[in-house]
């Protein structure tokens, strides 16, 4: 019975996913291109990145429903307009889609594999997603700071790769060095429940509940005296602590002070 | 400077510059997986070690083979013995 349910869910999801993608990607692209004829390159990019967010949002929240339910909580005390550096834990290839629920113009820092995805990889490149494996730190830093200066928020998965279990991996310090230079707020994002949606090395989605918590950001004034090593571990501890609370069955508010 | 002094000085670097607890500073600890350093942190570590020991290690290819704290102890000991890379 469980296997049948799994087959049914995946058949329905992937049929909807392909149909929706074939329909929405050309329409969204043409709309952005058409509106781009009457507006600046900057506004066109803004619209393009928002369209990607909207697409990701539908793919992960609407198409797999009711087999997969998504619960998003925003714990931020002050809801500014950004830009921010969002730092997320990384357990599943569905993480980049989940990020679509953040109401900001954003780009993601990714590995090489998302750029190899058919169609989506091309859009990631056009949107200005940064391939951290393909650039030296100096180039990465310059490009990221320029995007932040334009008002574009950055999403980073500093574990670098999807964790093989629920344990959070060591963080890479690149994005924290950029945050220190750019004096940009760092917002921790905790994602739980999508370890099997889909599991590492598979495309098979399993039913479940995905929780995503956006925590209060660390302002530059709060972290400016920390070195990158201490800063990355502080943010890692905040995320690990929230994940433990989310997965321990009780939710709690984390103080960042 | 004997071996124990070098070990103590290196451990101090990890405690003060990286705020890593003393208990984690075991010779077999992997500096990447156990202590959480990355390639950029290693560059910071090299700078501090150069200052602390008055040696030049930035361009030394042997640094690429370092994985554990023990490797760092041995590496610094060798450089001190060689005594030729002193920074003026």
């Amino acid at each position: 019975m469980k296997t049948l349910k799994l087959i049914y869910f995946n058949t329905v999801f992937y049929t909807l996913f392909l149909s929706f993608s074939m329909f929405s990607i050309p329409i969204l692209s043409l709309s952005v291109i058409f509106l781009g004829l009457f507006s600046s390159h900057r506004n066109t990019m803004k619209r393009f990145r928002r369209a990607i967010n909207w697409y990701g949002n539908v793919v992960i929240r609407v198409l797999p429903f009711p087999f997969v339910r998504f619960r998003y909580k925003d714990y931020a005390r002050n809801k500014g307009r950004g830009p921010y550096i969002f730092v997320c834990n990384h357990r599943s290839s569905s993480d980049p889609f989940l990020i679509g629920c953040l109401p900001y113009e954003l780009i993601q820092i990714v590995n090489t594999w998302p750029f190899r995805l058919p169609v989506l990889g091309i859009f990631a490149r056009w949107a200005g997603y940064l391939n951290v494996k393909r650039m030296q730190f100096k180039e990465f830093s310059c490009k990221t700071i320029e995007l932040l200066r334009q008002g574009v928020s950055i999403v980073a998965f500093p574990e670098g790769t999807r964790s093989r279990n629920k344990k959070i991996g060591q963080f890479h310090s690149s994005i924290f060095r950029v945050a220190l230079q750019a004096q940009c707020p760092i917002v921790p994002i905790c994602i739980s429940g999508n370890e099997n949606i889909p599991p590492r090395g598979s495309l098979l989605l399993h039913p479940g509940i995905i929780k995503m918590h956006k925590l209060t950001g660390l302002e530059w004034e709060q972290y400016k005296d920390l070195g990158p090593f201490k800063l990355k571990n502080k943010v890692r501890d905040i995320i690990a602590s929230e994940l433990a609370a989310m997965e321990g069955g009780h939710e709690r508010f984390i103080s960042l002070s | 400077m004997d071996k124990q002094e070098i070990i103590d000085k290196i451990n101090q670097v990890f405690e003060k510059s990286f705020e890593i607890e003393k208990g984690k500073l075991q010779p077999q600890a992997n500096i990447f997986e156990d202590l959480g350093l990355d390639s950029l942190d290693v560059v910071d570590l090299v700078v501090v070690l150069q200052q602390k020991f008055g040696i030049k290690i930035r361009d030394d290819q042997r640094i690429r083979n370092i994985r554990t704290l023990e490797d760092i102890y041995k590496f610094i000991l060798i450089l001190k013995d060689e005594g030729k890379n002193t920074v003026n």
Side-chain angles (χ1 to χ4, degrees):
Chain A
M1 191 64 190
K2 204 177 169 185
T3 311
L4 274 177
K5 188 181 167 186
L6 204 61
I7 293 169
Y8 173 71
F9 166 41
N10 279 272
T11 308
V12 170
F13 172 78
Y14 280 109
T15 306
L16 286 172
F17 174 67
L18 288 174
S19 315
F20 174 70
S21 298
M22 283 166 66
F23 162 77
S24 65
I25 290 176
I27 288 186
L28 285 172
S29 306
L30 287 173
S31 306
V32 171
I33 291 167
F34 178 74
L35 291 169
L37 296 174
F38 309 102
S39 57
S40 65
H41 178 258
R42 180 72 196 87
N43 281 336
T44 304
M45 289 308 287
K46 203 180 279 183
R47 251 183 238 118
F48 184 47
R49 288 169 182 144
R50 291 276 187 166
I52 290 177
N53 275 13
W54 182 82
Y55 171 81
N57 222 351
V58 173
V59 166
I60 205 66
R61 291 177 91 159
V62 179
L63 304 188
F65 186 85
F67 296 97
V68 172
R69 290 167 194 262
F70 181 61
R71 294 180 186 160
Y72 171 68
K73 285 187 182 171
D74 184 351
Y75 286 110
R77 290 185 206 122
N78 44 349
K79 322 266 187 207
R81 293 177 61 195
Y84 298 108
I85 291 176
F86 296 103
V87 173
C88 318
N89 65 305
H90 192 23
R91 290 179 180 173
S92 165
S93 55
S94 56
D95 289 340
F97 292 93
L98 296 168
I99 296 305
C101 75
L102 296 172
Y104 301 94
E105 180 193 2
L106 47 86
I107 65 106
Q108 301 186 29
I109 297 167
V110 290
N111 259 327
T112 306
W113 71 264
F115 289 106
R116 292 192 184 134
L117 292 173
V119 186
L120 302 183
I122 298 168
F123 280 78
R125 202 168 292 124
W126 285 349
Y129 282 29
L130 298 175
N131 182 348
V132 76
K133 294 278 180 194
R134 287 273 170 91
M135 50 179 100
Q136 296 290 317
F137 175 70
K138 199 172 179 185
E139 184 189 358
F140 167 73
S141 169
C142 289
K143 285 190 173 170
T144 310
I145 290 172
E146 175 56 24
L147 284 161
L148 288 166
R149 197 190 59 73
Q150 291 173 12
V152 182
S153 293
I154 308 291
V155 179
F157 301 94
E159 287 168 273
T161 185
R162 285 164 284 171
S163 51
R164 291 179 186 278
N165 49 43
K166 286 192 172 182
K167 200 178 162 201
I168 191 164
Q170 298 289 358
F171 275 12
H172 200 277
S173 64
S174 311
I175 195 63
F176 302 95
R177 290 171 192 269
V178 172
L180 281 160
Q181 279 181 51
Q183 305 183 5
C184 180
I186 299 171
V187 181
I189 303 278
C190 307
I191 304 170
S192 167
N194 66 339
E195 302 78 35
N196 290 320
I197 310 173
R200 194 183 161 106
S202 166
L203 287 174
L204 200 65
L205 303 186
H206 293 256
I209 296 170
I210 303 174
K211 292 180 187 174
M212 181 164 147
H213 289 187
K214 173 173 168 272
L215 306 184
T216 294
L218 277 170
E219 295 293 332
W220 180 73
E221 290 77 16
Q222 291 174 277
Y223 69 74
K224 65 179 178 176
D225 297 325
L226 300 177
F229 185 82
K230 291 174 202 164
L231 178 58
K232 75 174 181 180
N233 284 321
K234 182 182 174 78
V235 177
R236 184 176 176 270
D237 288 346
I238 290 168
I239 293 176
S241 166
E242 180 68 6
L243 283 172
M246 288 161 80
E247 286 159 3
H250 60 285
E251 319 247 318
R252 64 188 166 125
F253 187 75
I254 290 182
S255 166
L256 300 177
S257 55
Chain B
M1 196 181 287
D2 66 16
K3 186 178 177 182
Q4 192 53 51
E5 278 180 284
I6 288 176
I7 290 173
D8 290 343
K9 268 189 155 186
I10 292 171
N11 285 353
Q12 272 175 23
V13 169
F14 279 94
E15 281 179 68
K16 288 186 180 166
S17 301
F18 296 97
E19 280 188 8
I20 294 174
E21 298 159 32
K22 206 170 186 172
K24 285 187 176 176
L25 300 175
Q26 301 300 320
Q28 68 277 15
N30 185 301
I31 60 168
F32 303 106
E33 287 159 23
D34 300 324
L35 305 184
L37 272 71
D38 58 50
S39 52
L40 296 171
D41 297 323
V42 169
V43 174
D44 291 343
L45 174 67
V46 164
V47 171
V48 182
L49 290 175
Q50 286 190 154
Q51 288 167 352
K52 196 97 178 169
F53 291 98
I55 50 175
K56 193 175 176 187
I57 50 181
R58 198 180 176 111
D59 301 324
D60 197 310
Q61 292 301 308
R62 287 173 292 186
I63 200 161
R64 291 171 187 272
N65 301 323
I66 287 176
R67 292 287 177 274
T68 65
L69 262 184
E70 179 84 60
D71 294 340
I72 300 178
Y73 302 152
K74 283 181 185 166
F75 179 59
I76 299 292
L77 269 168
I78 291 168
L79 285 181
K80 290 300 274 184
D81 284 346
E82 287 173 357
K84 59 185 178 186
N85 292 318
T86 307
V87 173
N88 294 316

